[in-house]
Amino acid sequence: MTEDPARRVGVVHGPNLNLVGDREPEHYGPETLPDIEERMRRRAEERGVELVFFQSNHEGELVDWIQEHRTDVDGWVVNAGGLTHTSVALRDALVASDRPFVEVHLSNVRAREDFRERSLLEDRAAGVVSGFRGDSYVLGLEGLLSRLRGDAS
Ligand code: DQA
Protein backbone atom coordinates (compact mmCIF):
# COMPACT_ATOMS: atom_id res chain seq x y z
CA MET A 1 0.00 0.00 0.00
CA THR A 2 1.28 3.47 -0.92
CA GLU A 3 2.50 5.66 1.95
CA ASP A 4 1.52 9.27 1.47
CA PRO A 5 3.68 12.22 2.53
CA ALA A 6 2.66 13.47 6.00
CA ARG A 7 -0.86 14.70 5.50
CA ARG A 8 -3.74 15.74 7.65
CA VAL A 9 -7.34 15.41 6.47
CA GLY A 10 -10.42 16.97 8.08
CA VAL A 11 -13.52 14.79 8.16
CA VAL A 12 -16.74 16.76 8.50
CA HIS A 13 -20.10 15.22 9.44
CA GLY A 14 -23.21 17.37 9.29
CA PRO A 15 -26.59 17.24 11.01
CA ASN A 16 -28.10 13.95 12.16
CA LEU A 17 -25.05 11.90 11.29
CA ASN A 18 -24.51 11.36 15.02
CA LEU A 19 -27.56 9.06 14.79
CA VAL A 20 -26.15 6.82 12.08
CA GLY A 21 -26.43 3.15 13.05
CA ASP A 22 -29.78 3.85 14.66
CA ARG A 23 -31.31 6.15 12.07
CA GLU A 24 -32.99 4.69 8.93
CA PRO A 25 -30.57 1.75 8.59
CA GLU A 26 -32.14 0.87 5.23
CA HIS A 27 -30.54 4.07 3.88
CA TYR A 28 -27.54 4.61 6.10
CA GLY A 29 -26.49 1.10 7.07
CA PRO A 30 -25.85 -0.54 10.44
CA GLU A 31 -22.52 1.07 11.35
CA THR A 32 -22.31 3.89 13.88
CA LEU A 33 -20.26 7.02 13.23
CA PRO A 34 -17.49 5.85 15.63
CA ASP A 35 -17.38 2.52 13.69
CA ILE A 36 -16.94 4.39 10.42
CA GLU A 37 -14.36 6.75 11.90
CA GLU A 38 -12.39 3.78 13.24
CA ARG A 39 -12.32 2.20 9.78
CA MET A 40 -11.14 5.48 8.27
CA ARG A 41 -8.52 5.88 10.98
CA ARG A 42 -7.13 2.40 10.24
CA ARG A 43 -6.91 3.12 6.52
CA ALA A 44 -5.35 6.52 7.18
CA GLU A 45 -2.74 4.95 9.48
CA GLU A 46 -1.74 2.52 6.74
CA ARG A 47 -1.21 5.55 4.54
CA GLY A 48 0.61 7.59 7.19
CA VAL A 49 -2.17 10.17 7.21
CA GLU A 50 -3.67 11.89 10.25
CA LEU A 51 -7.41 12.47 10.44
CA VAL A 52 -9.29 15.07 12.45
CA PHE A 53 -13.04 14.55 12.86
CA PHE A 54 -15.92 16.87 13.60
CA GLN A 55 -19.68 16.34 13.74
CA SER A 56 -22.24 19.01 14.44
CA ASN A 57 -25.94 19.51 14.00
CA HIS A 58 -25.34 23.26 13.65
CA GLU A 59 -24.39 24.93 10.40
CA GLY A 60 -22.47 27.77 12.08
CA GLU A 61 -20.40 25.35 14.16
CA LEU A 62 -19.43 23.47 11.01
CA VAL A 63 -18.43 26.73 9.31
CA ASP A 64 -16.40 27.78 12.40
CA TRP A 65 -14.60 24.43 12.53
CA ILE A 66 -13.72 24.51 8.83
CA GLN A 67 -12.40 28.07 9.20
CA GLU A 68 -10.36 27.10 12.26
CA HIS A 69 -8.74 24.11 10.55
CA ARG A 70 -8.36 25.42 7.04
CA THR A 71 -4.65 26.10 7.35
CA ASP A 72 -3.75 22.87 9.13
CA VAL A 73 -5.41 20.31 6.85
CA ASP A 74 -4.53 19.32 3.29
CA GLY A 75 -8.10 18.48 2.30
CA TRP A 76 -11.52 17.44 3.49
CA VAL A 77 -13.91 14.49 3.38
CA VAL A 78 -17.37 15.96 3.85
CA ASN A 79 -20.76 14.44 4.51
CA ALA A 80 -22.83 17.56 5.01
CA GLY A 81 -26.05 15.57 5.56
CA GLY A 82 -29.14 17.66 4.79
CA LEU A 83 -26.99 20.81 4.50
CA THR A 84 -25.64 19.37 1.25
CA HIS A 85 -28.87 20.42 -0.39
CA THR A 86 -29.26 23.84 1.21
CA SER A 87 -26.12 25.43 2.63
CA VAL A 88 -24.42 28.25 0.75
CA ALA A 89 -22.47 29.00 3.96
CA LEU A 90 -20.92 25.53 4.11
CA ARG A 91 -20.05 25.64 0.44
CA ASP A 92 -18.44 29.06 0.89
CA ALA A 93 -16.43 27.88 3.91
CA LEU A 94 -15.05 24.88 2.00
CA VAL A 95 -14.23 26.94 -1.07
CA ALA A 96 -12.62 29.65 1.10
CA SER A 97 -10.36 27.00 2.67
CA ASP A 98 -8.72 26.56 -0.73
CA ARG A 99 -8.26 22.86 0.00
CA PRO A 100 -9.74 20.04 -2.10
CA PHE A 101 -12.71 18.20 -0.69
CA VAL A 102 -14.60 15.01 -1.50
CA GLU A 103 -18.36 14.96 -0.92
CA VAL A 104 -19.57 11.66 0.51
CA HIS A 105 -22.98 10.19 1.27
CA LEU A 106 -23.89 6.93 2.93
CA SER A 107 -27.02 6.55 0.84
CA ASN A 108 -27.36 6.92 -2.91
CA VAL A 109 -28.82 10.43 -2.93
CA ARG A 110 -29.68 10.14 -6.63
CA ALA A 111 -32.00 7.21 -5.94
CA ARG A 112 -34.10 9.01 -3.33
CA GLU A 113 -36.34 12.09 -3.16
CA ASP A 114 -35.85 14.74 -5.87
CA PHE A 115 -34.68 17.38 -3.39
CA ARG A 116 -31.65 15.22 -2.54
CA GLU A 117 -30.46 15.33 -6.15
CA ARG A 118 -29.34 18.92 -5.76
CA SER A 119 -26.01 19.46 -4.08
CA LEU A 120 -24.58 22.90 -3.38
CA LEU A 121 -21.15 21.32 -2.98
CA GLU A 122 -20.66 18.95 -5.88
CA ASP A 123 -19.52 21.40 -8.55
CA ARG A 124 -16.63 22.47 -6.28
CA ALA A 125 -15.85 18.96 -5.04
CA ALA A 126 -12.86 16.95 -6.26
CA GLY A 127 -15.33 14.07 -6.47
CA VAL A 128 -18.50 12.61 -5.01
CA VAL A 129 -19.00 9.14 -3.48
CA SER A 130 -22.59 8.19 -2.74
CA GLY A 131 -24.41 4.99 -1.87
CA PHE A 132 -21.78 2.70 -0.35
CA ARG A 133 -22.81 3.29 3.26
CA GLY A 134 -19.75 3.47 5.54
CA ASP A 135 -17.49 2.53 2.64
CA SER A 136 -18.32 5.87 1.00
CA TYR A 137 -16.13 7.58 3.58
CA VAL A 138 -13.20 5.19 3.08
CA LEU A 139 -13.50 5.46 -0.71
CA GLY A 140 -13.79 9.23 -0.41
CA LEU A 141 -10.61 9.33 1.66
CA GLU A 142 -8.80 7.24 -0.95
CA GLY A 143 -10.04 9.55 -3.69
CA LEU A 144 -8.88 12.62 -1.81
CA LEU A 145 -5.42 11.14 -1.14
CA SER A 146 -5.13 10.21 -4.79
CA ARG A 147 -6.04 13.79 -5.70
CA LEU A 148 -3.46 15.13 -3.23
CA ARG A 149 -0.82 12.86 -4.79
CA GLY A 150 -1.74 14.30 -8.15
CA ASP A 151 -2.99 10.99 -9.53
CA ALA A 152 -6.37 12.51 -10.33
CA SER A 153 -7.03 15.91 -11.82
C1 DQA B 1 -26.83 11.89 3.60
C2 DQA B 1 -27.92 12.14 2.56
C3 DQA B 1 -28.67 13.42 2.87
O1 DQA B 1 -29.66 13.67 1.89
C4 DQA B 1 -29.33 13.30 4.22
O2 DQA B 1 -30.00 14.52 4.55
C5 DQA B 1 -28.39 12.91 5.29
C6 DQA B 1 -27.40 11.87 5.01
C7 DQA B 1 -26.14 10.51 3.38
O3 DQA B 1 -25.09 10.30 3.97
O4 DQA B 1 -26.66 9.66 2.66
O5 DQA B 1 -28.47 13.36 6.42
O6 DQA B 1 -25.84 12.88 3.48
Side-chain angles (χ1 to χ4, degrees):
M1 191 163 286
T2 320
E3 269 242 4
D4 287 86
R7 300 244 188 240
R8 185 180 293 127
V9 170
V11 182
V12 182
H13 311 286
N16 300 306
L17 290 162
N18 53 314
L19 298 181
V20 162
D22 190 30
R23 169 192 181 207
E24 300 176 87
E26 67 284 8
H27 287 305
Y28 303 122
E31 280 183 296
T32 65
L33 210 54
D35 293 337
I36 295 169
E37 290 184 349
E38 184 48 35
R39 281 213 288 135
M40 292 183 86
R41 201 176 281 114
R42 268 188 267 128
R43 178 61 61 91
E45 260 171 35
E46 288 167 6
R47 300 253 184 230
V49 172
E50 186 190 340
L51 300 180
V52 280
F53 295 98
F54 186 66
Q55 190 278 328
S56 177
N57 292 328
H58 305 280
E59 185 177 24
E61 283 185 7
L62 293 161
V63 168
D64 284 345
W65 193 80
I66 290 165
Q67 286 190 9
E68 246 169 65
H69 288 272
R70 72 187 199 283
T71 55
D72 55 57
V73 301
D74 299 290
W76 312 98
V77 173
V78 182
N79 184 352
L83 293 174
T84 307
H85 318 297
T86 62
S87 179
V88 175
L90 200 57
R91 172 198 173 94
D92 287 348
L94 289 164
V95 171
S97 79
D98 205 23
R99 304 286 188 271
F101 69 91
V102 174
E103 174 182 338
V104 302
H105 299 284
L106 298 159
S107 64
N108 179 357
V109 287
R110 301 272 171 183
R112 300 181 61 192
E113 300 95 327
D114 289 352
F115 64 82
R116 293 186 207 275
E117 288 193 15
R118 175 169 180 252
S119 165
L120 269 61
L121 308 180
E122 69 183 356
D123 64 303
R124 301 305 298 261
V128 180
V129 183
S130 180
F132 299 99
R133 299 187 167 178
D135 288 345
S136 294
Y137 279 91
V138 179
L139 294 167
L141 176 64
E142 287 291 356
L144 177 70
L145 295 176
S146 163
R147 169 62 181 265
L148 291 170
R149 284 194 298 268
D151 296 356
S153 51

Tab-separated table of all heavy atoms in Angstrom, residues 23 28 79 81-82 85 105-107 109 116, ligand 1:
chain	number	residue	atom	x	y	z
A	23	ARG	N	-30.429	5.394	12.933
A	23	ARG	CA	-31.312	6.147	12.069
A	23	ARG	C	-31.460	5.483	10.696
A	23	ARG	O	-30.466	5.222	10.018
A	23	ARG	CB	-30.652	7.520	11.900
A	23	ARG	CG	-31.218	8.400	10.860
A	23	ARG	CD	-30.276	9.594	10.602
A	23	ARG	NE	-30.849	10.463	9.610
A	23	ARG	CZ	-30.146	11.247	8.802
A	23	ARG	NH1	-28.823	11.281	8.891
A	23	ARG	NH2	-30.750	11.985	7.924
A	28	TYR	N	-28.861	4.196	5.614
A	28	TYR	CA	-27.539	4.612	6.100
A	28	TYR	C	-26.688	3.461	6.613
A	28	TYR	O	-25.529	3.672	6.959
A	28	TYR	CB	-27.715	5.704	7.164
A	28	TYR	CG	-28.493	6.890	6.626
A	28	TYR	CD1	-29.673	7.327	7.224
A	28	TYR	CD2	-28.055	7.540	5.472
A	28	TYR	CE1	-30.392	8.396	6.703
A	28	TYR	CE2	-28.774	8.608	4.938
A	28	TYR	CZ	-29.940	9.025	5.563
A	28	TYR	OH	-30.644	10.072	5.034
A	79	ASN	N	-19.362	14.843	4.655
A	79	ASN	CA	-20.757	14.441	4.507
A	79	ASN	C	-21.575	15.516	5.211
A	79	ASN	O	-21.677	15.530	6.442
A	79	ASN	CB	-21.030	13.070	5.128
A	79	ASN	CG	-22.467	12.626	4.875
A	79	ASN	OD1	-23.283	13.397	4.372
A	79	ASN	ND2	-22.777	11.390	5.230
A	81	GLY	N	-24.674	15.944	5.226
A	81	GLY	CA	-26.049	15.567	5.556
A	81	GLY	C	-27.026	16.452	4.788
A	81	GLY	O	-26.788	16.803	3.625
A	82	GLY	N	-28.108	16.845	5.444
A	82	GLY	CA	-29.137	17.660	4.788
A	82	GLY	C	-28.620	19.010	4.315
A	82	GLY	O	-29.183	19.602	3.378
A	85	HIS	N	-27.851	19.987	0.572
A	85	HIS	CA	-28.866	20.419	-0.389
A	85	HIS	C	-29.282	21.877	-0.192
A	85	HIS	O	-30.066	22.394	-0.972
A	85	HIS	CB	-30.093	19.501	-0.275
A	85	HIS	CG	-29.737	18.049	-0.127
A	85	HIS	ND1	-29.067	17.341	-1.107
A	85	HIS	CD2	-29.903	17.166	0.909
A	85	HIS	CE1	-28.859	16.094	-0.686
A	85	HIS	NE2	-29.354	15.971	0.532
A	105	HIS	N	-21.666	10.509	0.713
A	105	HIS	CA	-22.985	10.193	1.271
A	105	HIS	C	-23.071	8.697	1.505
A	105	HIS	O	-22.632	7.901	0.662
A	105	HIS	CB	-24.107	10.611	0.319
A	105	HIS	CG	-24.097	12.079	0.061
A	105	HIS	ND1	-24.547	12.985	0.982
A	105	HIS	CD2	-23.646	12.794	-0.996
A	105	HIS	CE1	-24.383	14.197	0.504
A	105	HIS	NE2	-23.832	14.120	-0.697
A	106	LEU	N	-23.675	8.341	2.625
A	106	LEU	CA	-23.890	6.928	2.932
A	106	LEU	C	-24.890	6.324	1.954
A	106	LEU	O	-24.700	5.225	1.439
A	106	LEU	CB	-24.424	6.802	4.357
A	106	LEU	CG	-23.469	7.308	5.457
A	106	LEU	CD1	-24.254	7.628	6.712
A	106	LEU	CD2	-22.397	6.287	5.731
A	107	SER	N	-25.975	7.043	1.739
A	107	SER	CA	-27.025	6.551	0.836
A	107	SER	C	-26.751	7.037	-0.583
A	107	SER	O	-25.931	7.948	-0.789
A	107	SER	CB	-28.388	7.075	1.304
A	107	SER	OG	-28.444	8.487	1.210
A	109	VAL	N	-27.893	9.284	-2.940
A	109	VAL	CA	-28.818	10.425	-2.930
A	109	VAL	C	-29.569	10.590	-4.254
A	109	VAL	O	-30.645	11.175	-4.288
A	109	VAL	CB	-28.106	11.754	-2.543
A	109	VAL	CG1	-27.774	11.774	-1.064
A	109	VAL	CG2	-26.854	11.994	-3.370
A	116	ARG	N	-33.005	15.656	-2.897
A	116	ARG	CA	-31.650	15.225	-2.544
A	116	ARG	C	-30.727	15.184	-3.764
A	116	ARG	O	-29.527	14.951	-3.637
A	116	ARG	CB	-31.676	13.849	-1.871
A	116	ARG	CG	-32.333	13.858	-0.531
A	116	ARG	CD	-32.215	12.515	0.170
A	116	ARG	NE	-33.317	12.335	1.085
A	116	ARG	CZ	-33.344	12.787	2.342
A	116	ARG	NH1	-32.313	13.419	2.839
A	116	ARG	NH2	-34.397	12.606	3.098
B	1	DQA	C1	-26.829	11.887	3.596
B	1	DQA	C2	-27.920	12.142	2.560
B	1	DQA	C3	-28.666	13.420	2.871
B	1	DQA	O1	-29.664	13.665	1.892
B	1	DQA	C4	-29.331	13.304	4.223
B	1	DQA	O2	-29.999	14.516	4.549
B	1	DQA	C5	-28.389	12.908	5.291
B	1	DQA	C6	-27.400	11.873	5.007
B	1	DQA	C7	-26.139	10.509	3.382
B	1	DQA	O3	-25.091	10.302	3.965
B	1	DQA	O4	-26.663	9.662	2.659
B	1	DQA	O5	-28.474	13.362	6.421
B	1	DQA	O6	-25.844	12.878	3.479
